[in-house]
Amino acid sequence: FLFSSSLGIAQSFTIRGRVTDSENSDPIPFANLVVKGTTIGTVCDFDGYYSLKVPHPVDSLSSIYIGYKMRTKKVNGSANQTINFQLSE
């Protein structure tokens, strides 16, 4: 009972954004995103957009794709924020 009631107290929020190429702003379809220090992640759609529900607090979010350098950005913890990534080769 105590364990199940503590799960209901945990807060979460959604991060949305887009992953694009830094040179030409083309979308990077199927780029990976992962919350630092967790196994929580997602993959962008064909147009480079993603949406990820994450627990609070979260320190940072990383995006990576084959042939590109990984980028990491700080997450400020506000509800429904947008974090866009521009990856370079």
Side-chain angles (χ1 to χ4, degrees), residues 57-71:
V58 167
D59 180 54
S60 58
L61 182 65
S62 297
S63 180
I64 192 161
Y65 189 72
I66 296 171
Y68 289 84
K69 295 178 185 173
M70 181 174 66
R71 288 280 319 261

Side-chain angles (χ1 to χ4, degrees), residues 11-15 52-58 75 77-81:
Q11 295 178 342
S12 64
F13 60 99
T14 301
I15 302 173
L52 179 61
K53 189 171 184 176
V54 298
H56 182 69
V58 167
V75 175
S78 63
N80 302 320
Q81 65 180 301

Side-chain angles (χ1 to χ4, degrees), residues 19-70:
V19 180
T20 58
D21 186 290
S22 63
E23 286 189 32
N24 55 25
S25 298
D26 286 343
I28 300 178
F30 314 116
N32 293 295
L33 293 112
V34 66
V35 176
K36 181 180 178 181
T38 74
T39 58
I40 299 168
T42 192
V43 176
C44 293
D45 66 14
F46 186 76
D47 295 316
Y49 290 100
Y50 72 92
S51 178
L52 179 61
K53 189 171 184 176
V54 298
H56 182 69
V58 167
D59 180 54
S60 58
L61 182 65
S62 297
S63 180
I64 192 161
Y65 189 72
I66 296 171
Y68 289 84
K69 295 178 185 173
M70 181 174 66

